[in-house]
Amino acid sequence: MPKRNNEHLSIKDALKEFVETNRLEKGLNKVNAAEAWAKLMGNGVNNYTTSVKLERETLYIQLNSSVLREELSYGKQKIIDMLNEELGKEIIKKLVLR
């Protein structure tokens, strides 16, 4: 039986405790990274993006345009910084464009 807190918690704190207790943070990071990519890159890049995966600290992006892949490769560190800023913490350390 889970422990019961008699003190009042905000919903934010209750959800945070639930996520930590059930070890759901990695899964949420994966979803949040994919959403951040879609938001920051816009429709132009998203039309050519076929897959976004976060494994450990590496974000794998599958693109179906070699020209776009080459263009994005010049600004990898800037993209990593923008994504981490959007996520609010340093989750992504490496970006692999395929």
Side-chain angles (χ1 to χ4, degrees):
M1 191 91 177
K3 72 175 185 170
R4 181 175 212 143
N5 292 334
N6 288 333
E7 69 231 26
H8 296 288
L9 287 175
S10 68
I11 292 177
K12 179 181 177 181
D13 293 338
L15 286 174
K16 185 176 180 182
E17 185 178 318
F18 179 78
V19 168
E20 289 172 357
T21 303
N22 295 304
R23 297 185 194 133
L24 300 174
E25 194 166 355
K26 286 182 184 178
L28 288 174
N29 286 343
K30 289 179 182 183
V31 171
N32 292 339
E35 288 177 356
W37 173 265
K39 180 180 176 185
L40 289 175
M41 292 298 131
N43 286 337
V45 174
N46 286 328
N47 289 338
Y48 296 102
T49 303
T50 57
S51 171
V52 179
K53 285 186 188 174
L54 178 65
E55 293 179 13
R56 296 192 180 100
E57 296 177 337
T58 305
L59 185 66
Y60 296 93
I61 306 294
Q62 183 82 34
L63 298 167
N64 58 10
S65 169
S66 59
V67 176
L68 180 61
R69 182 173 48 248
E70 187 67 26
E71 279 293 316
L72 292 177
S73 70
Y74 294 123
K76 278 185 179 181
Q77 190 56 51
K78 184 176 180 182
I79 293 170
I80 292 170
D81 294 340
M82 288 172 31
L83 288 169
N84 283 329
E85 185 178 328
E86 179 70 25
L87 294 168
K89 52 188 167 183
E90 192 170 329
I91 296 173
I92 303 165
K93 298 214 191 265
K94 186 177 176 186
L95 178 66
V96 176
L97 301 169
R98 296 179 178 170

